[in-house]
Amino acid sequence: MPLDYQTQCIRIMSMAAFSENLGGEGLTHWVSKAPDNRRKRLVAKLAYEEFDHGHQIYKLLKDLNVDEKLVNEIATGRAQNSNSIHTSLDTADAIYGDAGELWLDLALHCILMDTAGRHIVSNFAESSYGPWAEASVDIAKDEIMHASFGKHELQICLAEGLSGELLQERFTYWYARSLNFFGPPPGKSARILQHYGIKRKTNEDLRREFQQEIESYMTKIGLQQIMKLNTESYPYD
């Protein structure tokens, strides 16, 4: 494996492993807040799957002689000669802490963030690095189920008399966050990743496909009117 190719694989996979791990941490926050035992178990299962996604990628990186500690340092820009390449790489509290009280937030998180995650992971499922591409196929399947859980819970929230103003506020918050999850518009790093076939589509390609999918879903459930943002370009708000 050429050195630069390996370096780029390690860099982008480190971001993915760290991000999956944060996703698991964020979901554990919701287990004690679940309305009943059935949903406690479901959320715990979602959290386990996120941690397992991270574990799979950490294992692949270990095969490239990169241990978990170094992976996390690379992902967060703390390793020598590395920079964080993802806007959402922050503490779990920074990512999930604003949404700790409303079950609606968990529903929207699963619908929007996990669907965004599936688009990102599905792109990696076409990666030129075979072991990661293979792992990404299975990870993407789990993300579909996570979004389905969110859609079911959103319907329950709506049936319980959710106010339009609250729904608008929380949807805009999570929609903007999910759009930012794809990262900044393509630059030099994106061109290198595409050159090697590690990442086939750009952030903008993936973001656009995600927006189209969410718009189709929101139209289907009659809520397309709430697809509003305060800022219509990256970084979204």
Side-chain angles (χ1 to χ4, degrees):
M1 181 186 292
L3 181 60
D4 189 49
Y5 177 80
Q6 178 171 315
T7 299
Q8 295 300 327
C9 285
I10 289 171
R11 189 163 174 259
I12 194 77
M13 289 169 66
S14 294
M15 175 277 292
F18 186 79
S19 184
E20 294 285 358
N21 209 49
L22 280 187
E25 290 181 19
L27 284 166
T28 59
H29 168 79
W30 288 100
V31 175
S32 64
K33 294 180 178 295
D36 51 56
N37 181 261
R38 180 186 68 84
R39 281 180 279 188
K40 286 182 190 294
R41 290 184 292 109
L42 285 173
V43 176
K45 181 175 183 294
L46 299 183
Y48 168 80
E49 288 171 352
E50 294 290 349
F51 285 126
D52 188 59
H53 298 165
H55 176 65
Q56 291 180 54
I57 307 171
Y58 282 124
K59 282 197 339 184
L60 294 178
L61 285 159
K62 189 173 183 180
D63 292 340
L64 296 174
N65 298 313
V66 185
D67 64 23
E68 184 173 334
K69 181 176 183 293
L70 181 55
V71 167
N72 294 340
E73 289 176 351
I74 293 170
T76 54
R78 296 195 303 270
Q80 185 177 6
N81 299 321
S82 71
N83 294 299
S84 175
I85 56 174
H86 204 293
T87 57
S88 70
L89 293 185
D90 209 328
T91 64
D93 283 346
I95 294 176
Y96 301 100
D98 183 55
E101 301 303 323
L102 302 175
W103 193 250
L104 170 66
D105 285 301
L106 177 60
L108 292 174
H109 170 269
C110 290
I111 294 169
L112 295 167
M113 296 291 283
D114 285 282
T115 298
R118 174 172 55 80
H119 280 270
I120 293 169
V121 172
S122 294
N123 192 32
F124 295 142
E126 299 176 5
S127 171
S128 57
Y129 185 51
W132 191 25
E134 184 177 350
S136 295
V137 171
D138 291 333
I139 293 172
K141 291 177 182 177
D142 284 343
E143 300 297 359
I144 293 173
M145 299 304 296
H146 295 191
S148 295
F149 169 80
K151 291 174 182 178
H152 180 266
E153 296 304 310
L154 175 60
Q155 290 299 324
I156 293 175
C157 290
L158 293 171
E160 291 176 347
L162 179 66
S163 77
E165 182 178 353
L166 179 60
L167 176 60
Q168 178 70 76
E169 175 195 339
R170 302 318 296 159
F171 180 87
T172 296
Y173 173 82
W174 284 109
Y175 188 42
R177 181 149 285 195
S178 63
L179 290 170
N180 289 334
F181 193 53
F182 291 94
K188 180 181 178 181
S189 177
R191 290 192 292 272
I192 293 172
L193 293 171
Q194 284 191 299
H195 169 74
Y196 284 123
I198 298 169
K199 188 174 180 179
R200 302 291 182 175
K201 297 177 181 178
T202 70
N203 293 346
E204 289 305 319
D205 293 332
L206 296 170
R207 194 166 11 238
R208 182 170 56 252
E209 291 174 1
F210 164 75
Q211 285 179 293
Q212 291 170 349
E213 179 174 344
I214 295 302
E215 183 175 3
S216 176
Y217 166 68
M218 298 302 287
T219 300
K220 180 180 178 181
I221 64 173
L223 291 175
Q224 65 272 24
Q225 73 278 4
I226 71 167
M227 291 191 65
K228 298 176 182 178
L229 294 162
N230 300 314
T231 304
E232 294 287 345
S233 60
Y234 183 89
Y236 296 86
D237 181 38

